[in-house]
Amino acid sequence: MSYYFSKTIDMPFDEATVHVTKALAAKGFGVLSTIDVRATMKNKLGEEFRPYTILGACNPHFAWRALQQEDKIGTMLPCNVVVSEVAPGKTEVAAVDPLALMAAVDNPALGEIAGEVQHLLRDMIRDL
């Protein structure tokens, strides 16, 4: 089982990051955190890296439902979406597969919730 799904789009990195944030919002997700991996690697290690941002996306409705089933499920939230430049004008967008993530937890109710979230994230990626 793959742990993510992705799509490469013909769009510059910065534009793609804004586009993905809007696409997530259209599916009910807010971005709780934004990690600029490129800047972090440069600042902490002095290493160069391509433009690469991790968006911590959360749909509060589904997060609430999941927390009602497993109060420690917060250790696996939010759903990460990676936006990374693969070539000038080409950006890959990858989202964690919630079903793969929740497979580590023995709770069928979480699987149902993860399936619904998976559907939303897959649709978001597909429609980019």
Side-chain angles (χ1 to χ4, degrees):
M1 171 186 284
S2 178
Y3 62 92
Y4 71 95
F5 29 89
S6 65
K7 180 178 184 177
T8 299
I9 58 176
D10 293 322
M11 192 176 290
F13 174 78
D14 290 333
E15 184 181 333
T17 302
V18 172
H19 183 65
V20 169
T21 301
K22 289 179 182 177
L24 284 165
K27 296 292 184 185
F29 292 86
V31 174
L32 301 178
S33 62
T34 302
I35 302 169
D36 182 340
V37 174
R38 180 184 197 180
T40 300
M41 295 300 159
K42 181 67 173 173
N43 293 336
K44 301 290 184 181
L45 301 176
E47 298 289 346
E48 296 293 334
F49 197 65
R50 70 184 185 279
Y52 188 110
T53 296
I54 302 170
L55 303 173
C58 181
N59 182 307
H61 170 72
F62 291 107
W64 173 254
R65 287 177 52 202
L67 286 164
Q68 298 311 297
Q69 297 300 319
E70 293 275 342
D71 79 329
K72 302 301 182 277
I73 205 63
T75 61
M76 296 183 170
L77 300 177
C79 294
N80 285 331
V81 177
V82 173
V83 182
S84 63
E85 184 179 78
V86 293
K90 291 201 176 288
T91 303
E92 182 182 40
V93 181
V96 66
D97 183 341
L99 277 176
L101 190 63
M102 294 303 151
V105 182
D106 185 24
N107 185 328
L110 281 178
E112 180 182 322
I113 296 165
E116 293 176 59
V117 175
Q118 180 195 55
H119 179 74
L120 291 172
L121 289 174
R122 275 192 190 275
D123 285 354
M124 184 275 299
I125 296 276
R126 182 198 64 222
D127 295 342
L128 290 174

